[in-house]
Amino acid sequence: MAKKTGKKYVYFFGSGKADGRGDMKDLLGGKGAGLAEMTNLRISVPAGFTITTDACNEYFKNKKKYPKGMWEQVLANLKKVEKTMGMKFGDSTNPLLVSVRSGAKFSMPGMMDTVLNLGLNETTIKALIKKTKNERFAYDAYRRFITMFGSIVMGVDRQKFEKALEEMKGRKGVHLDTDLTSNDLKSLVDEFKIIYKKSTGENFPSDPYDQLKKAVNAVFGSWFGDRAVKYRKLNNIPEDLGTACNVQAMVFGNMGENSGTGVGFTRDPSTGQRRFFAECLINAQGEDVVAGIRTPLHINELKKRLPKAYNELDRIYKKLEKHYRDMLDIEFTVQDGKLFMLQTRVGKRTAASALKIAIDMVKEKLIDKKTAILRIDPQQLDQLLHPMIDPKAQIKVIAKGLPASPGAAVGKVVFTADDAERAAEKGEKVILVRTETSPEDIGGMHAAQGILTARGGMTSHAAVVARGMGKCCVAGCGAININESQRYFIVDTLNIKEGDYITLNGTTGEVIMGEAPLIKPELTGDFGIFMKWVDAFRKIGVRTNTDTPHDAAVARSFGAEGIGLCRTEHMFFEPDRISAVREMILADDTEGRQAALAKLLPMQKGDFIGIFKAMKGLPVTIRLLDPPLHEFLPHTDEELKTLAHQLEVPFDKLKARNKVLHEFNPMLGHRGCRLGITYPEIYAMQAQAIIEAACELSKQKVKVIPEIMIPLVGHVNELKMMRELVIKVADDVQKKYKTKVNYTVGTMIELPRAAITADEIAAQADFFSFGTNDLTQTTFGLSRDDAGRFLPYYVEKGILEDDPFITLDQDGTGIMMKIAIEKGRKVKKNLKMGICGEHGGDPKSVEFCHKVGLDYVSCSPYRVPLARLAGAQAVLKEKMGKDLSKATV
Amino acid sequence: MAKKTGKKYVYFFGSGKADGRGDMKDLLGGKGAGLAEMTNLRISVPAGFTITTDACNEYFKNKKKYPKGMWEQVLANLKKVEKTMGMKFGDSTNPLLVSVRSGAKFSMPGMMDTVLNLGLNETTIKALIKKTKNERFAYDAYRRFITMFGSIVMGVDRQKFEKALEEMKGRKGVHLDTDLTSNDLKSLVDEFKIIYKKSTGENFPSDPYDQLKKAVNAVFGSWFGDRAVKYRKLNNIPEDLGTACNVQAMVFGNMGENSGTGVGFTRDPSTGQRRFFAECLINAQGEDVVAGIRTPLHINELKKRLPKAYNELDRIYKKLEKHYRDMLDIEFTVQDGKLFMLQTRVGKRTAASALKIAIDMVKEKLIDKKTAILRIDPQQLDQLLHPMIDPKAQIKVIAKGLPASPGAAVGKVVFTADDAERAAEKGEKVILVRTETSPEDIGGMHAAQGILTARGGMTSHAAVVARGMGKCCVAGCGAININESQRYFIVDTLNIKEGDYITLNGTTGEVIMGEAPLIKPELTGDFGIFMKWVDAFRKIGVRTNTDTPHDAAVARSFGAEGIGLCRTEHMFFEPDRISAVREMILADDTEGRQAALAKLLPMQKGDFIGIFKAMKGLPVTIRLLDPPLHEFLPHTDEELKTLAHQLEVPFDKLKARNKVLHEFNPMLGHRGCRLGITYPEIYAMQAQAIIEAACELSKQKVKVIPEIMIPLVGHVNELKMMRELVIKVADDVQKKYKTKVNYTVGTMIELPRAAITADEIAAQADFFSFGTNDLTQTTFGLSRDDAGRFLPYYVEKGILEDDPFITLDQDGTGIMMKIAIEKGRKVKKNLKMGICGEHGGDPKSVEFCHKVGLDYVSCSPYRVPLARLAGAQAVLKEKMGKDLSKATV
């Protein structure tokens, strides 16, 4: 029949021969491909067939009608299954029962679960009883079938079945399902049929073919279920993949003490240790574990009780692992002493486990280093660098925000940066809880173990700064309601007061009540070995974004090859200098500003000496002052009054100045080199501090490579003017110190105009650094701070594939970068180019940066290993000519 | 000698033969070229020579040393002048005196003035007395020479000389210089020499060659004088042009009743009438007019008193005009009955005069139409469309702001929009004086004759809206200090109260006390004829930006060929609908919004019917809602309270909503199609109003061409989604009305991302309209509202050539446009493209738009004629292959 219709929609597998193969995931889905592959390996798999994803897609294209010939192929293959198994579907003596499962290319929540025991009706159950001589087993199978079919296929509320079951147990005075008798189950089946009819308006289908058709439709239909659609959007899985549908002969692990079922991993998924990590149940079906009715046993129990089956399993899992060359997740059932494999797929694992397995498999010569490198998800690597909550701990999650900066932290709640600093001085561990953070909170953020904010996204101030510090942060946790003045926050009905302990999980965004036990990261030998392999393949450099000697040292220990972005303004917020900064801002003229700047000079110089020392021998890119001046002034009248008092300035004057400095669109305002041009004395002071620091260290034979970076250049003349200023200052300082410093002057490329005039700008620049945060904002005309009201919706609705502030928008911002790279290199063939936006720590974006030929990426310290790995993977993928998205999902 | 040095630095002119020509302005400057040209025309010009601009440039390159051979050439040419004039420089019997003048390619303020009578000293004065037999004349010449040389060449404070002169007159008890005797003047010369020595530390130079050298150095030096440098920056005149220096034999108009001097235009510079428009003085030097000592006489006086010289002058001016084919400005002197021409150049004229002269000269076959079209400065054309202050009126300027919208207006001062509206209802003419305007002031702006603001630039709200209305506006007048609550403003010591009359000159930015007399514009036949010629050459279309039927009609009368931008939000501010708008904003859900939108629907539909009727048969591009919603809410607590009361909404809710809507960078926030995507019901209502209006008029056989424009598209998916929404609504409406409307759906290109992905976007668009205001903001990363603190400085310092919000930044924003045009047309060859930013009314920008192949520009109604002219000029210039900047200065 398949021949007649032309197109093959159904793929058979059974008795050592399958129509499909393991590499046909597109057509057969992951599960179907795995079953075909195992069958071909002559591993014992219950016979069955897979209806292809093509069939599913055509079904939807064709207004929910099966494509021509599909059903005929289903019937034909069912015949083959009957033949293989020696049983007959709907038969009154030896009935074939089947399971029906969805199976897309990628497993996803919301897709249809398994329906077991399909084919049971009043006729076949009698045959089953007769054949198994086990009425209780048969009725148990029947009531399970009705529950699954009713709830999963027909959408009947599962609770209704559960409730009837509970009532039955109550009536019978028993606690366990297994305590119910055959008769109890028989009358439960009748009750279930009534529930089914009440809910659906139809009788429970007795025709096995009707059952099958409804189940197949439900599998197909689940592809466009709300949860599946949403999951696909979130994970960038195309709509047109479709799902396959697997129909497979049932085998039973609950046919007696000679039967059983189990799941396992071929190695330890937590640690990666090379040992069979599996559990089993005797005389049970897999779903019993899920239902919590039975507690699984160690796999040794199987060895003890069913040694023949166990030995077979041992042989098979090793064979499979060798065949797939990866750690696998397997499912099996023993029916009456005979082992059947039901599923195999690549197993999920922790970062630590992934790393150990990859390294071990290289040692075992199962895989080469390239494969090992490609096996580790860069995002996952992050886990290894941060403390984590003990996975075995019982925790109480009270709210969930955005996983803004990974790791975990435990501490007492405080509500202000000052409180955090005071507590830290006393040696207390605290969690800083704020509505949102501002640059003035930096000190408190440093002092705290972790940061929790009620507002703000993945790229809010709190998130960006916390990631920079490698500090755990949960941001935008809208469920918490902060009362800062009264020092408590409310979540649901809970009232968490200052001093109460909470725990944050920055990797998941969870907020946990009390002190959860943490596991400290161990950068084991494996990590070091692996990163050495990574660096052997990597071509793109990896630097870090940091402003403090401490963070610089951390980043260096993570393998940073320099600083790509040292933001000088963060230094301005230190409590000992903010007042000089404010004095500078409030000065009436150049002289006044210069006087205030003179106070800042030695402090900035000290900062640079510290950073240069930490980065000895490596380049340090220092960005001159960037934010608008009003960011350094407080905003409320109250704060202004205090400041006026401190600075001995009339309040009115301060307020007036604050008003003058106000901007409608600060992002597009008086900032970056526009400050340096209108107040050259500010940049002059900074250049002086940098070159003086460099001169002093040079004299001490410390090798210093300062790269001075001019921000927000839009026109070459801006850069030219600032470059001349820096060179003039540097000349003067070098003369004074009678020494030479090997410094360079470059620019950020962060405005579209800079990108498209990069040829002109290159003539005045020793290097380019792409500021992709601002470049994204201006290319899209999108304020990161204001995008919260529509950007999530855009991503959800698929208008944008990714949040462009997290993953570089390659078709827009990326094109802008390409234009700049091409134009810049046309003028200066070897112009050094890097990226210092947040994207420098995003794997997809790192791959893009490699492809377009950047010299380095720069990211926050804790992202350095991730970026190194992503860089190496980019090289390997390029060689393989593989598409990124296909390789990583 | 010139041959020996190789390079020619000095060009002789005299007795009918000149080394140079009239087209050698680059080398000889305007004055030198004119003198050479007149000489070659055998017009009597005192002999002299021009030192070239090259010499000046080399002088500066060579650390203020003359280039090799220059001085020798000066001396050789001086000999030729001596020979031609039959006199000798520094001679004791027949001394040659000379004038020394600067002469750059373009005349500019700050360049060195004339020094007359150079060559006088104790020897030559005696010869002069003997020769002229007029001792008084000689000493008068001498004291004038010392004054000019001292002040102009050596920088001695001119007041010192003036003071000595005044004191002499006081001592002598006379009022006029002319009442001083020869002896008085002689002793004044001695006094002047003492003043000179005191001020300069040196004796007054007696060596004529020394005098000459110092004067030449002063001419060269003036090229880098502060005022000249600043003027060049402001007018985009390159630094490296240099100035020429003209040395010319003196002739004297003050040698007796047989002598005289005068200036004139070959036609009337005010009206353009074809008549000799000149004035003269008998027995006087030109500077006497400047000094205000003598009142010039009608030229008929010359005819009466020196008929021979007059007839010669009459012959010459006609000859010159015919030769130059333009209206000329001339200077002449009659010495002892003989006429000498001292200067000729193209004369400055009013717009009306320019138009009449151009048209007359075409009729006279002096020039062709192309030349006529190129002769009119598009900016000047504006004068013809607005009332102007009678140039003859005596006015008192009390302050100066930016010339934000041309024309003039007289009215009583009011300080609020409401007051303006109330006064207008009573038929009173008022000037609205505001610190700055906001959209809520629109009604008052309409009602007022003119608008004066204390803050804001050329592209502030007041400026943009006023230009749109064709209403006079002076913006950013920082000198006025407004006290709105007390209803007065202060400027210097003046207190102008509500109800006081003031006059605004929006063409110059002047604020004038009292009621100045105005002249109404007359769009005479000349204007119509000229614009017909213009349109015959023009290729680019000209549309208008307008939101009201009235303005649409005005624009149409000015020749608009459609509406390029109809902003629907302005309609939202009308008092009768703002409350429905606010209700919509404050709604809690889609239903609430829809209810409020239902109230707005009939009003918007009415708006569109009015505009479609006014633009019958022409395309009307309607932009769907663009600004962020918070723009429609008031901001102060007080206003919010009033609103809460009006809307019967709790104040707290209103305030909370206002806070939620607040944005850090509204320019980059929740606006444009982002509103349409998150609140589709808003765009649906607008689309419905447009299509319903179109359907109703179609049924009445009114031809309607609506073009629906989606703003702020950054990603093709945004446009796709909104396009589908509009089409769905349009389908429904057309079905309901049982008629078809020929509408299109297009998009603004106003974000860099839209420009660089224009190929993708083109696939979903029927047209592109470049929103160059926003495109400039995002390309530069520059907020128009915040740029005031540094952009003027940028332009002044030459970092940017022009304010990019006034004249399109061709190297940045322009490149972005070119990318979009190219990518868009690659996908759709004939994709209609226009521009609707402010730049559509700027001549340079219009030329750019023509060059890059846009189909039309769109500008405010009063700029339509200007854009038409600029469009025609673009075609002509393109043909001539001429560079714009060269042609217009």
Side-chain angles (χ1 to χ4, degrees), chain A residues 662-673:
Chain A
H662 170 264
E663 293 185 306
F664 296 101
N665 298 290
M667 161 65 209
L668 307 176
H670 195 181
R671 50 172 288 235
C673 69

Side-chain angles (χ1 to χ4, degrees), chain A residues 166-387:
Chain A
E166 288 308 311
E167 283 168 3
M168 172 67 80
K169 287 198 282 187
R171 280 200 300 277
K172 298 293 167 184
V174 302
H175 286 297
L176 296 177
D177 297 1
T178 41
D179 292 337
L180 291 174
T181 66
S182 167
N183 268 340
D184 296 340
L185 291 170
K186 194 175 170 185
S187 63
L188 209 51
V189 161
D190 294 335
E191 274 190 57
F192 278 16
K193 285 186 180 170
I194 292 165
I195 290 172
Y196 181 94
K197 187 164 186 188
K198 271 193 186 158
S199 301
T200 66
E202 339 172 326
N203 286 323
F204 189 81
S206 58
D207 175 5
Y209 292 96
D210 189 17
Q211 293 172 358
L212 181 59
K213 205 169 237 177
K214 282 196 162 69
V216 171
N217 291 348
V219 166
F220 284 175
S222 71
W223 180 251
F224 282 108
D226 287 349
R227 277 182 67 203
V229 168
K230 192 160 177 181
Y231 182 84
R232 284 198 295 274
K233 290 270 175 186
L234 284 172
N235 292 277
N236 299 318
I237 298 174
E239 291 271 275
D240 59 2
L241 285 183
T243 182
C245 175
N246 298 291
V247 179
Q248 192 177 18
M250 282 298 302
V251 287
F252 296 95
N254 55 345
M255 277 181 85
E257 295 304 310
N258 212 14
S259 298
T261 187
V263 297
F265 293 89
T266 58
R267 305 194 181 203
D268 187 328
S270 291
T271 65
Q273 216 187 322
R274 194 178 178 186
R275 63 179 181 111
F276 190 37
F277 188 89
E279 292 173 324
C280 65
L281 280 173
I282 304 298
N283 193 11
Q285 271 193 319
E287 61 155 351
D288 294 343
V289 181
V290 181
I293 303 168
R294 305 268 298 267
T295 305
L297 310 168
H298 193 277
I299 195 68
N300 283 345
E301 204 62 25
L302 189 75
K303 193 176 183 177
K304 219 162 65 191
R305 290 166 65 170
L306 297 167
K308 213 183 121 212
Y310 176 83
N311 288 339
E312 178 66 1
L313 181 62
D314 188 64
R315 190 186 65 80
I316 285 174
Y317 96 73
K318 284 174 181 158
K319 181 178 181 171
L320 279 172
E321 194 185 77
K322 207 162 178 179
H323 180 71
Y324 277 98
R325 298 163 185 272
D326 205 346
M327 186 270 262
L328 301 173
D329 164 354
I330 57 172
E331 288 179 29
F332 61 90
T333 284
V334 182
Q335 175 175 297
D336 215 6
K338 179 165 167 52
L339 178 77
F340 291 94
M341 299 303 293
L342 297 183
Q343 171 151 321
T344 188
R345 58 183 174 190
V346 171
K348 289 203 191 305
R349 61 204 82 177
T350 63
S353 164
L355 199 65
K356 180 160 173 49
I357 290 170
I359 289 176
D360 283 354
M361 285 195 170
V362 170
K363 286 185 195 154
E364 295 160 22
K365 299 208 164 59
L366 268 178
I367 58 173
D368 61 8
K369 287 177 186 172
K370 290 179 195 175
T371 309
I373 290 171
L374 285 169
R375 285 259 173 93
I376 309 294
D377 175 2
Q379 296 285 13
Q380 218 186 7
L381 206 61
D382 224 17
Q383 285 181 20
L384 295 178
L385 311 176
H386 299 280

Side-chain angles (χ1 to χ4, degrees), chain A residues 147-167:
Chain A
T147 305
M148 285 190 267
F149 190 91
S151 61
I152 297 171
V153 174
M154 301 302 290
V156 179
D157 183 0
R158 195 181 187 107
Q159 288 306 314
K160 291 184 179 162
F161 298 115
E162 299 292 346
K163 203 178 150 216
L165 175 64
E166 288 308 311
E167 283 168 3

Side-chain angles (χ1 to χ4, degrees), chain B residues 321-526:
Chain B
E321 196 187 76
K322 204 161 180 181
H323 180 72
Y324 277 97
R325 297 162 185 274
D326 205 345
M327 186 270 265
L328 300 172
D329 164 355
I330 57 171
E331 289 180 27
F332 62 90
T333 285
V334 182
Q335 175 175 297
D336 216 7
K338 180 167 169 47
L339 177 79
F340 292 93
M341 298 303 293
L342 298 184
Q343 171 151 322
T344 188
R345 59 183 175 191
V346 170
K348 291 202 189 308
R349 63 203 82 178
T350 63
S353 164
L355 199 65
K356 180 161 172 51
I357 291 170
I359 290 176
D360 284 353
M361 284 193 171
V362 171
K363 286 185 195 157
E364 294 160 25
K365 299 207 161 61
L366 268 177
I367 58 174
D368 60 9
K369 287 178 185 171
K370 291 180 195 175
T371 308
I373 289 169
L374 285 168
R375 285 258 174 96
I376 309 294
D377 175 3
Q379 296 285 14
Q380 220 186 6
L381 207 61
D382 224 17
Q383 286 180 21
L384 296 178
L385 311 177
H386 299 280
M388 56 185 280
I389 296 170
D390 186 342
K392 291 189 288 286
Q394 291 287 335
I395 54 172
K396 185 181 175 187
V397 175
I398 55 174
K400 206 167 170 195
L402 297 170
S405 180
V410 175
K412 289 179 182 173
V413 168
V414 293
F415 292 93
T416 71
D418 285 349
D419 290 347
E421 291 189 72
R422 265 192 295 276
E425 276 165 27
K426 285 188 243 158
E428 284 180 341
K429 296 193 167 177
V430 296
I431 303 290
L432 177 60
V433 181
R434 304 278 297 156
T435 302
E436 52 199 342
T437 62
S438 74
E440 304 207 349
D441 293 329
I442 298 258
M445 293 171 77
H446 242 303
Q449 300 297 304
I451 298 110
L452 169 63
T453 70
R455 272 218 292 261
M458 290 295 287
T459 49
S460 61
H461 177 267
V464 172
V465 173
R467 281 199 294 276
M469 295 176 175
K471 195 144 280 192
C472 163
C473 174
V474 173
C477 183
I480 68 167
N481 228 314
I482 301 176
N483 187 323
E484 187 186 313
S485 58
Q486 303 286 317
R487 299 283 201 268
Y488 66 82
F489 73 82
I490 287 181
V491 50
D492 282 328
T493 56
L494 278 173
N495 185 326
I496 311 279
K497 290 180 294 295
E498 187 176 63
D500 287 354
Y501 271 102
I502 61 170
T503 302
L504 300 180
N505 185 341
T507 311
T508 61
E510 286 166 338
V511 181
I512 294 144
M513 194 145 99
E515 296 177 83
L518 301 191
I519 301 174
K520 282 200 181 154
E522 282 184 58
L523 297 184
T524 61
D526 282 350

Side-chain angles (χ1 to χ4, degrees), chain B residues 634-644 651:
Chain B
H635 295 289
T636 68
D637 274 5
E638 206 172 314
E639 291 169 310
L640 282 174
K641 268 177 200 159
T642 313
L643 181 60
F651 167 69

